Amino acid sequence: MKANTTTKSALEGLRKDWRSFTLLPEALTTDRSFIEKAVQLDGRIYSLLSKRWRADKKLFLAALINPAWFCHEDDPIHHAPKAFFDDENMVGQMIRRDLCAFTLASRRIRTSPKIICGLFKSNRDLFEVLDAKLRGHREVLTAALQVNSDAFCYASDALKADRAFVTSCLTTKGIKCNLVRHASEEIRDDPNVILKAVNKFGPYAVTSATPRLLTDRNLVKKAFLAGIGQHRNYFPEWVKRDRELCLIAIKNSYHAFSDADYELQNDLDFCLEAYQVNSGCLPYIPSRIRKRSAFRKIAPIEQEGPTPAEIRQAFAKAIEICGGNHQLSGRGHDPRVTLNKSTAAAIKGLDLPRVSNSGFGAKWYYPQSLVDEAAKLLGVGPTYLRGL
């Protein structure tokens, strides 16, 4: 009983000041079970252990995973025995917590492609700190790309310019990020490579092409047909003025109407075609176009939407249906949404359940079930009342 009390009081003292470990009686500082509890409490205590205990792998790992903040001289990694740095498993544990620990590994580990390929699972960013020779090693880079597709950014210039290697990566499973954007200019100027990237990584991979290649309308059109919607910041200005490409983009996403050239947005025929391929673009079409008789024939808009009074009345009735008991904060909170400006102005003064959000963006969040019920009463879509 007395021993348990002594151990407990000693651990409490270490919790307040980890350096007090050196003042503890020898009976405790040589007791492995106590030392293990101590390093689990504060990993910095490992730096105070004798050489015998620092050679204990379990004690080292217990100190390594401890959440305490380490400075350089207190870090267990800098007090580990030299043998640990020649042990693949131990090095893997070290770089899992601190990538810089790889620089302390033995030369055998730092220069072995086979060992390094196995260490990528411990830290996906390991490829960044390899030497130039290994960053030009095909097998090493292929293994790195399986866990981190951005590793190609740090590959050697020779591999970035290796057409056969880049092409093989485009058919390798597991690579999910567009690596072509980091390839050499000569490869990015090859339409066949760009089309393969589009097929593997999606339509926006076409933006990896060189500026010269982006003037190829046939290539750009294939990418648009593959699913490109919004395109404002990805393509040259001529794309925004191309009627056919803009209509393809609008068909994929009605938001793309706002990316079209100003003259197209104010062209009646273009607006009619855009509405026919995707009626969701209606809010983006200028009001003076929507009021034209030719446009009203295909998209009658006698009433553009509920009035503020109707919105307010719908929310008041939705409260009666849904009730006011909603959990809008904390873990597992109910689904919540923001409101657009016009809806927020219409319900101003209503006592609705809401929660404030600090930081950027909308200030108030409301229960999604309540907003959806109000939209249902108004006969509009569920996103009509919501903010972005």
Side-chain angles (χ1 to χ4, degrees):
M1 182 68 179
K2 186 176 180 180
N4 290 338
T5 305
T6 303
T7 301
K8 186 176 180 180
S9 60
L11 291 174
E12 286 297 325
L14 293 175
R15 193 185 301 275
K16 296 177 182 178
D17 183 4
W18 63 275
R19 293 182 179 86
S20 64
F21 181 85
T22 57
L23 304 177
L24 295 177
E26 186 177 354
L28 289 178
T29 57
T30 57
D31 183 345
R32 190 190 182 287
S33 63
F34 174 78
I35 294 175
E36 186 172 5
K37 292 178 182 178
V39 295
Q40 287 175 347
L41 181 69
D42 195 319
R44 293 173 292 184
I45 292 175
Y46 180 86
S47 64
L48 304 176
L49 300 180
S50 65
K51 186 176 181 179
R52 171 196 170 191
W53 295 117
R54 290 204 304 271
D56 189 311
K57 291 185 178 181
K58 290 186 177 179
L59 292 179
F60 174 75
L61 294 177
L64 196 65
I65 64 175
N66 189 279
W69 175 260
F70 301 114
C71 61
H72 181 81
E73 62 269 16
D74 304 329
D75 194 328
I77 293 175
H78 295 286
H79 294 274
K82 189 175 181 179
F84 285 5
F85 296 99
D86 197 42
D87 185 314
E88 302 166 28
N89 294 327
M90 297 303 288
V91 171
Q93 293 295 331
M94 292 182 202
I95 66 174
R96 189 185 301 274
R97 204 214 70 193
D98 185 358
L99 181 59
C100 294
F102 182 77
T103 60
L104 303 175
S106 67
R107 179 178 177 80
R108 180 183 71 87
I109 289 180
R110 287 186 289 108
T111 57
S112 172
K114 183 178 180 180
I115 294 176
I116 289 173
C117 288
L119 289 176
F120 284 126
K121 61 184 179 182
S122 296
N123 194 313
R124 64 193 300 270
D125 297 321
L126 177 60
F127 190 81
E128 301 175 18
V129 299
L130 299 181
D131 60 34
K133 182 178 179 181
L134 286 170
R135 284 188 280 112
H137 195 288
R138 288 194 177 204
E139 287 73 18
V140 172
L141 178 55
T142 302
L145 290 172
Q146 295 294 326
V147 296
N148 183 7
S149 299
D150 287 331
F152 195 76
C153 176
Y154 302 93
S156 64
D157 292 338
L159 282 182
K160 289 182 179 180
D162 190 327
R163 188 184 303 274
F165 178 76
V166 173
T167 304
S168 67
C169 287
L170 295 178
T171 58
T172 302
K173 293 183 179 179
I175 300 177
K176 300 178 181 178
C177 187
N178 179 19
L179 54 84
V180 176
R181 68 180 186 274
H182 301 302
S184 66
E185 184 174 356
E186 182 183 355
I187 291 178
R188 291 187 294 108
D189 201 44
D190 186 335
N192 294 325
V193 173
I194 297 300
L195 286 176
K196 288 180 180 179
V198 168
N199 293 332
K200 182 174 179 63
F201 303 117
Y204 287 96
V206 73
T207 58
S208 302
T210 59
R212 186 201 70 81
L213 201 57
L214 285 177
T215 61
D216 184 340
R217 189 178 183 280
N218 291 330
L219 175 69
V220 175
K221 183 178 178 179
K222 289 179 181 179
F224 271 67
L225 290 172
I228 284 182
Q230 289 183 283
H231 55 274
R232 179 179 302 165
N233 300 320
Y234 300 107
F235 294 94
E237 287 295 318
W238 69 265
V239 175
K240 302 176 184 179
R241 297 189 294 269
D242 190 298
R243 190 186 197 93
E244 183 184 6
L245 294 181
C246 286
L247 288 173
I248 294 173
I250 292 170
K251 184 177 181 179
N252 296 329
S253 171
Y254 61 83
H255 295 292
F257 185 91
S258 61
D259 296 339
D261 184 71
Y262 177 80
E263 291 185 5
L264 284 179
Q265 292 184 21
N266 288 273
D267 180 84
L268 175 61
D269 293 335
F270 176 78
C271 291
L272 289 171
E273 291 183 67
Y275 180 79
Q276 289 173 335
V277 298
N278 194 334
S279 60
C281 70
L282 180 62
Y284 294 94
I285 297 176
S287 58
R288 66 180 188 84
I289 298 290
R290 298 203 305 265
K291 293 176 182 178
R292 298 277 293 272
S293 57
F295 193 87
R296 286 177 176 269
K297 290 179 180 178
I298 64 167
I301 49 172
E302 290 79 9
Q303 183 176 347
E304 295 190 0
T307 64
E310 291 172 337
I311 293 175
R312 188 181 183 88
Q313 185 179 2
F315 270 93
K317 191 169 183 181
I319 278 287
E320 297 177 5
I321 298 173
C322 299
N325 187 19
H326 300 274
Q327 180 188 348
L328 297 177
S329 60
R331 291 185 178 180
H333 62 73
D334 297 340
R336 60 193 188 186
V337 295
T338 58
L339 301 178
N340 57 44
K341 291 183 179 180
S342 58
T343 304
I347 65 166
K348 189 175 182 180
L350 276 181
D351 185 18
L352 299 177
R354 61 182 184 175
V355 64
S356 178
N357 179 40
S358 59
F360 296 101
K363 184 178 180 181
W364 296 105
Y365 283 79
Y366 299 83
Q368 180 179 324
S369 58
L370 177 68
V371 177
D372 289 350
E373 183 63 31
K376 182 179 178 181
L377 293 171
L378 290 168
V380 296
T383 60
Y384 184 86
L385 303 173
R386 301 182 193 176
L388 296 177

